[in-house]
Amino acid sequence: MYNRHLNPTKAGTPQGGIISQILANMTLDGMEEAIASRYHVGKNGEIDKRRYNPHKVNFARYADDFVVTADSEETAEDLAEVVKEFLKERGLELSEEKTHITHIDDGFDFLGWNFRKYKGKLLIKPFRKSIGKVTRKISDVIKRAKAWKQEDLINALNPIIIGWSNYHRSVVSKEVFSKLDNIVWNMLWRWVNRRHPDKFKTWIARKYWHSEGTRSWVFSTKKNRLKRFSDTKIVRHIGLKLDKNPYLDLKYFKLRKLRQKALKLNAWYKTRWDKLKDGLCA
């Protein structure tokens, strides 16, 4: 619609666009209720997820991605049929490539993470494809930077490293962060050696890597330094109270956000925060 005139749509909505998720949410709203009306109905005929859930059916959705849990493969197959019927009424169907029924001990991928139980303990780790994607992205930047200044390369890599590590900081990522730091270091070592094929390794190391505090081998200039994945502190996600409304319970959400920020503090800031909590900070 533009200037009160309706223009015909010539193309679909681009995947990843802002409107794409909104349309998905509008279309798929009601799926959870359709599942609940079959698996969470009590003896009185009312839906009660807390008290009545004999088949351990739970539903989680983010836009058009969703996961449904069940106590057995038979229940999961029945749930798939419920979902197919729900989608069929809306002119949609499940993607056979992306949909599969699996046991939690074998794990599954969701929103860039791998969910799997190891000896009865659930661990959520960054998905392999997500790790490969960020590795290729960094590699492409370094390949394009053959004639760049070190400062420009650092400025191009830092947003990628910070953004990816912030997304994965709430899951089991410490080992992955260290592995990625090692991969990036090797990429940079090849990059500097291509720039100075006739120089000694010690000269190259002194030019591009410096000491900073207790750390050595910091890829840096006088103005900036390259961030490491492992610089990001692992902070577990704080669960939401589902009976809280973001427009009404403002105090709850404000305090929750403050606690999350506090958990991300380290060194000097962490000390000051602890003193503030104990009433020792003026």
Side-chain angles (χ1 to χ4, degrees):
M1 182 75 75
Y2 181 71
N3 283 341
R4 292 181 170 272
H5 178 71
L6 180 64
N7 298 280
T9 305
K10 295 179 180 179
T13 304
Q15 190 173 3
I18 296 171
I19 196 69
S20 178
Q21 292 89 340
I22 296 171
L23 290 172
N25 281 329
M26 290 172 65
T27 308
L28 299 181
D29 270 353
M31 187 187 291
E32 186 174 5
E33 191 176 343
I35 292 170
S37 64
R38 183 155 180 165
Y39 287 96
H40 299 298
V41 178
K43 293 179 180 179
N44 57 1
E46 294 182 1
I47 294 173
D48 192 341
K49 296 179 187 177
R50 291 185 179 180
R51 293 182 181 180
Y52 192 82
N53 191 7
H55 296 288
K56 298 180 181 178
V57 173
N58 296 289
F59 177 83
R61 180 168 67 86
Y62 182 86
D64 60 342
D65 289 322
F66 56 88
V67 171
V68 190
T69 66
D71 63 344
S72 67
E73 188 175 352
E74 290 74 22
T75 306
E77 287 172 352
D78 187 54
L79 278 162
E81 292 303 317
V82 173
V83 172
K84 284 177 183 177
E85 283 297 317
F86 176 87
L87 294 175
K88 190 177 179 180
E89 292 175 6
R90 289 153 180 78
L92 301 171
E93 58 183 23
L94 281 177
S95 168
E96 294 297 330
E97 294 177 5
K98 296 181 180 179
T99 307
H100 66 282
I101 296 172
T102 183
H103 196 276
I104 191 63
D105 289 342
D106 299 321
F108 63 92
D109 302 315
F110 184 57
L111 302 179
W113 294 329
N114 177 260
F115 295 73
R116 185 180 170 186
K117 273 192 175 182
Y118 297 83
K119 296 180 180 178
K121 185 177 182 181
L122 177 65
L123 295 180
I124 307 170
K125 299 180 180 181
F127 180 32
R128 286 183 181 179
K129 283 187 180 179
S130 182
I131 297 168
K133 191 175 179 181
V134 74
T135 303
R136 286 192 299 274
K137 194 172 184 179
I138 290 171
S139 178
D140 291 342
V141 171
I142 293 173
K143 284 176 183 176
R144 292 201 312 268
K146 290 178 181 177
W148 292 7
K149 293 180 181 178
Q150 185 184 8
E151 179 75 21
D152 296 333
L153 179 59
I154 291 171
N155 290 335
L157 291 178
N158 274 347
I160 299 170
I161 293 169
I162 293 169
W164 196 89
S165 55
N166 278 343
Y167 181 81
H168 295 281
R169 75 186 305 167
S170 60
V171 298
V172 184
S173 306
K174 192 173 181 179
E175 190 177 326
V176 174
F177 285 172
S178 297
K179 183 181 177 181
L180 285 170
D181 283 336
N182 189 47
I183 291 170
V184 172
W185 190 93
N186 285 313
M187 287 180 183
L188 292 172
W189 184 251
R190 288 193 294 272
W191 179 76
V192 296
N193 276 282
R194 280 196 300 266
R195 291 164 71 91
H196 308 285
D198 301 325
K199 294 290 185 181
F200 290 110
K201 306 298 182 188
T202 50
W203 182 92
I204 293 172
R206 283 198 299 269
K207 179 175 173 61
Y208 291 95
W209 280 272
H210 307 94
S211 296
E212 191 175 287
T214 57
R215 276 184 57 193
S216 56
W217 290 92
V218 179
F219 191 76
S220 62
T221 63
K222 290 181 180 178
K223 294 182 180 179
N224 203 359
R225 71 175 178 87
L226 185 72
K227 301 288 184 182
R228 297 188 307 172
F229 286 92
S230 54
D231 288 340
T232 303
K233 186 180 177 184
I234 302 296
V235 177
R236 298 286 175 248
H237 174 71
I238 299 173
L240 274 168
K241 291 182 179 179
L242 300 180
D243 59 340
K244 299 294 182 182
N245 187 309
Y247 296 100
L248 300 176
D249 304 295
L250 299 177
K251 188 177 179 181
Y252 166 77
F253 283 94
K254 190 175 181 180
L255 285 171
R256 183 178 180 276
K257 192 173 183 180
L258 191 64
R259 288 193 191 99
Q260 283 181 312
K261 285 184 177 180
L263 289 170
K264 296 172 186 177
L265 297 175
N266 52 32
W268 186 88
Y269 298 99
K270 180 72 168 66
T271 307
R272 291 328 184 257
W273 173 260
D274 289 339
K275 284 186 176 180
L276 183 65
K277 286 195 296 183
D278 295 334
L280 302 173
C281 183

